[in-house]
Amino acid sequence: MRLKIAAIRSGTEPVGKLPEGAFHRWLDEPLNCPKCEASYNLVVDYDQAVGRFFDEESRRPIMLLKKAVFMGHGNDHRVTHFETEGVVVKSFTVPHEQIAKS
């Protein structure tokens, strides 16, 4: 089973479907944009998060999500939900007007 991790911007609701699983675990370390105060909370399936090799398996997907958050600074962090499985990062955006209201 491939590891799927989602990064959801703090203060917003997930736009896409969360990773499959009966229970989800929010990881302790959020991803922060190095250029501003935007932060993204990480969520993963609980069974995968408590697995023996999670630290090793999650290293690459978290690096991809960090890069996606950094690149999202250029469009004012309109992407409120990133998700990665393998080497592909999907992004889910909401219209800019909805972000301004929040």
Side-chain angles (χ1 to χ4, degrees):
M1 186 169 171
R2 298 185 92 175
L3 180 64
K4 184 184 275 189
I5 301 176
I8 302 163
R9 185 169 178 193
S10 298
T12 63
E13 294 293 320
V15 178
K17 187 175 155 187
L18 290 176
E20 304 262 341
F23 297 102
H24 294 103
R25 180 173 181 197
W26 294 87
L27 300 181
D28 296 330
E29 295 271 333
L31 298 180
N32 298 311
C33 178
K35 294 184 173 185
C36 66
E37 66 274 352
S39 67
Y40 289 77
N41 296 315
L42 299 176
V43 65
V44 66
D45 175 44
Y46 182 81
D47 291 334
Q48 291 179 336
V50 296
R52 173 186 271 178
F53 302 107
F54 177 74
D55 289 337
E56 296 165 11
E57 293 173 350
S58 65
R59 190 172 297 135
R60 176 110 171 114
I62 290 174
M63 292 287 288
L64 290 171
L65 289 170
K66 283 181 182 179
K67 184 175 182 180
V69 167
F70 177 72
M71 294 183 74
H73 181 79
N75 66 0
D76 296 328
H77 293 287
R78 283 190 44 213
V79 177
T80 60
H81 181 158
F82 291 105
E83 185 176 285
T84 184
E85 181 176 16
V87 296
V88 176
V89 176
K90 295 181 205 172
S91 59
F92 302 93
T93 60
V94 294
H96 192 61
E97 298 83 37
Q98 288 182 359
I99 294 174
K101 291 179 184 177
S102 318

